[in-house]
Amino acid sequence: MSIDPAPAATLSEAAREIVEVGRFLSVRNFVPATSGNFSRRLDARTAAVTRSGVDKGELVEADILVADIHAPPPKGSSAETPLHLQLYRDRPEAQAVLHTHSVVAALLSNLRLAEGELVLQDFELLKALGDTRTHEAAVSIPIFPNDQDIPRLADKVTAMLAKRTDLVAYLIAGHGLYTWGRSMAEARRHVVALEHLLTYELEKMKVRR
Ligand SMILES: [Zn+2]
């Protein structure tokens, strides 16, 4: 990914984008109950993040908190906020991070955990991911074991991101998907494309049984 020259968002712009993406992902059942969390970079040092315990289809501006990406998460934010802040530190070009809990992301990541990654190739829709320009590309999505110790998990993700500059997403087994983008629109496109690709992979496994 290259650095996005676009300016970062104001808090009200970021809040509006987060509220909108919450509705969009909620109607598709990607963030059931109060699961999932979203964020939007504000500048080099801060990001807007979602409050914990709120249905992500019913977010209002007051549910959006400001986090310092180099400091502990703000009070009331999701326990998984360190995974968002770490992405803003490790990927200066990242402008938005989306975390979803769909059935297919939880199930497929569990079934394929032993492989450590999911390699997607020969899909036309791969062109919706980052700078992928051809369906012939192989896109790897690492799978991490689920861990309630979020700072420990964030350290593992940081180590992986340092080695793999091509990544656009990762999975947490039995849990869900993390993806990011150089804009909220790109991050949202990644969620939709990956949900489709993961569903395809799961259907393929059923056909091959
Ligand atoms: Zn989660």
Side-chain angles (χ1 to χ4, degrees):
M1 283 189 181
S2 56
I3 304 285
D4 187 347
T10 65
L11 179 57
S12 68
E13 285 167 350
R16 193 175 62 242
E17 288 185 10
I18 290 173
V19 168
E20 279 176 12
V21 85
R23 291 201 192 112
F24 179 91
L25 297 173
S26 180
V27 296
R28 286 157 179 81
N29 206 25
F30 295 167
V31 283
T34 59
S35 70
N37 32 74
F38 317 130
S39 63
R40 173 72 163 95
R41 183 191 289 279
L42 296 171
D43 53 40
R45 203 176 47 80
T46 59
V49 301
T50 45
R51 186 186 297 284
S52 166
V54 183
D55 187 310
K56 301 306 177 299
E58 297 174 348
L59 289 168
V60 295
E61 269 198 44
D63 297 321
I64 312 304
L65 311 171
V66 176
D68 181 330
I69 68 172
H70 295 286
K75 202 165 178 286
S77 66
S78 161
E80 291 181 45
T81 303
L83 295 172
H84 290 249
L85 304 185
Q86 163 249 343
L87 272 162
Y88 292 116
R89 291 194 301 270
D90 293 342
R91 288 288 187 264
E93 73 276 18
Q95 291 286 329
V97 178
L98 298 174
H99 169 50
T100 53
H101 277 218
S102 72
V103 172
V104 69
L107 180 57
L108 191 61
S109 57
N110 230 343
L111 293 172
R112 306 286 286 273
L113 174 60
E115 293 164 49
E117 66 176 341
L118 200 60
V119 179
L120 305 168
Q121 51 194 345
D122 294 326
F123 292 111
E124 183 64 18
L125 202 56
L126 288 173
K127 292 193 281 188
L129 301 177
D131 293 327
T132 308
R133 289 285 169 263
T134 165
H135 70 279
E136 292 167 333
V139 173
S140 163
I141 313 292
I143 307 174
F144 296 94
N146 200 13
D147 194 341
Q148 299 304 315
D149 185 334
I150 298 297
R152 182 169 62 196
L153 180 54
D155 285 346
K156 286 186 198 166
V157 176
T158 287
M160 178 72 78
L161 289 167
K163 284 188 290 186
R164 302 283 307 276
T165 56
D166 57 316
L167 296 180
V168 296
Y170 64 87
L171 288 159
I172 307 174
H175 180 160
L177 171 75
Y178 269 86
T179 187
W180 53 95
R182 291 163 291 191
S183 63
M184 182 61 84
E186 183 176 68
R188 191 181 96 164
R189 191 174 74 238
H190 286 171
V191 175
V192 174
L194 286 165
E195 286 290 334
H196 178 89
L197 294 163
L198 298 180
T199 303
Y200 184 100
E201 280 293 317
L202 190 61
E203 292 295 322
K204 194 165 79 182
M205 287 175 75
K206 287 191 216 164
V207 171
R208 281 184 178 167
R209 281 175 98 89

